[in-house]
Amino acid sequence: QLQLVESGGGLVQPGGSLRLSCAASGFTVDYVAIGWFRQAPGKEREGVSCISYNGGSTNYADSVKGRFTISRDNAKNTVYLQMNSLKPEDTAIYYCAAGSQAMCVLLNPHAPWNYWGQGTQVTVSS
């Protein structure tokens, strides 16, 4: 079964950190870009970050630049999102998706990403 599985979400205080993981099964991530997206209650899904198939190129939404870092370990078939200096407005369900490099550049959640994970909840609150 081809799927992506997110993990690492939870409840954290403002200013805290979390590291999300996106693990692929049934296919290799070696040849795909992986994007992270999030959706807060009552809001549209938005792009957060993306990394090219070889990690040579990354892309971040302005709202997370300087606080979030995306990375990948192809040997583990996993992509990570390190989130630091978290803010209450970062609260959302976080999803990862696999797609092309062109889709990675645009970071558009409405593009035809090949696979989506089920999401992991991140809550930033005191």
Side-chain angles (χ1 to χ4, degrees):
Q1 186 177 1
L2 308 177
Q3 62 178 353
L4 294 169
V5 179
E6 302 95 338
S7 62
L11 173 64
V12 63
Q13 292 186 342
S17 298
L18 284 173
R19 188 177 80 155
L20 305 184
S21 298
C22 171
S25 63
F27 70 100
T28 175
V29 298
D30 290 17
Y31 306 108
V32 295
I34 299 290
W36 281 98
F37 302 85
R38 66 187 182 186
Q39 187 164 17
K43 294 188 176 181
E44 293 250 332
R45 190 171 296 189
E46 63 175 353
V48 175
S49 183
C50 192
I51 188 166
S52 62
Y53 75 99
N54 63 356
S57 175
T58 58
N59 189 16
Y60 297 93
D62 288 343
S63 59
V64 306
K65 280 181 182 176
R67 300 188 298 121
F68 290 11
T69 302
I70 192 170
S71 62
R72 64 191 301 154
D73 185 341
N74 286 0
K76 295 183 178 180
N77 225 22
T78 301
V79 172
Y80 304 98
L81 185 68
Q82 177 67 43
M83 306 187 297
N84 298 329
S85 302
L86 283 162
K87 305 175 180 180
E89 50 264 43
D90 294 317
T91 295
I93 299 175
Y94 283 70
Y95 301 89
C96 62
S100 69
Q101 180 57 25
M103 294 161 67
C104 192
V105 171
L106 295 176
L107 210 53
N108 181 354
H110 303 295
W113 294 85
N114 298 83
Y115 310 110
W116 285 89
Q118 82 293 344
T120 185
Q121 176 71 48
V122 171
T123 303
V124 185
S125 175
S126 54

